Amino acid sequence: SALFWPCQVRLVMKAHSFIRENVPRVLASVKDKPGTVHIPRISQYLYFLFAPTLIYRDNYPRNPTIRWGYVATKFAQVLGSLFYAYYIFVRLCIPQFRHSSQETFNLRGLVLCIFNSILPGVLILFLVFFAFLHCWLNAFAEMLRFADRMFYK
């Protein structure tokens, strides 16, 4: 479940943005014209859930076409990042802790295991962030024809 908390935080932030944008609009339309209430369509909400943005709008700028080669490249980069993270984990992290359960506990061994795992852990963290935040979100942005690609600004 520790791997899913970023997704849960993202969904909570998206739900907050959706509610924050729509509740004042619905309340204003109820106050002005009680018979007509503007409620967003389910398709708009679903698009927002998959779009790489945290700010809800009824419409987003869209590209006219999908570049499937770009999508395939991004998904290949995700797979490559995951395989490389697995390789780092197997070659650099697991050997550090392989015999720790059979040895008696000592502080020196614990500190050495932790310090020897810092660099591989940071590399895996960078790979996961690259795979998700850059490759995965860009692939979904392309498939959804999401035109606003200012992710890093």
Side-chain angles (χ1 to χ4, degrees):
S1 87
L3 294 175
F4 296 111
W5 71 265
C7 294
Q8 294 168 350
V9 169
R10 182 176 155 265
L11 286 176
V12 168
M13 291 171 73
K14 281 186 176 260
H16 174 75
S17 176
F18 180 78
I19 291 168
R20 179 118 184 190
E21 288 290 323
N22 287 304
V23 167
R25 197 169 21 169
V26 168
L27 292 177
S29 69
V30 167
K31 193 184 298 183
D32 294 341
K33 301 173 196 168
T36 60
V37 177
H38 174 72
I39 298 174
R41 295 186 317 265
I42 295 293
S43 62
Q44 290 172 322
Y45 182 66
L46 286 175
Y47 183 86
F48 170 62
L49 282 181
F50 288 100
T53 183
L54 293 174
I55 300 170
Y56 177 79
R57 298 286 179 253
D58 287 334
N59 296 312
Y60 294 97
R62 308 279 298 267
N63 287 331
T65 60
I66 299 173
R67 300 175 294 172
W68 289 108
Y70 182 79
V71 172
T73 301
K74 291 301 171 190
F75 280 135
Q77 289 176 349
V78 169
L79 286 175
S81 297
L82 292 176
F83 281 127
Y84 190 49
Y86 174 76
Y87 177 78
I88 290 172
F89 189 73
V90 167
R91 298 292 283 175
L92 299 175
C93 292
I94 290 177
Q96 296 297 322
F97 296 97
R98 180 164 295 163
H99 302 292
S100 62
S101 64
Q102 297 158 351
E103 298 173 1
T104 58
F105 176 78
N106 61 7
L107 188 60
R108 181 181 179 271
L110 177 67
V111 170
L112 283 175
C113 281
I114 289 173
F115 279 118
N116 287 332
S117 298
I118 288 175
L119 183 62
V122 169
L123 286 173
I124 290 171
L125 186 67
F126 284 150
L127 282 169
V128 169
F129 278 122
F130 171 74
F132 179 71
L133 292 177
H134 179 71
C135 299
W136 188 265
L137 291 180
N138 269 310
F140 269 94
E142 187 66 33
M143 287 189 298
L144 293 172
R145 297 186 298 132
F146 189 76
D148 185 14
R149 301 288 177 89
M150 299 296 198
F151 300 133
Y152 305 114
K153 292 195 181 222

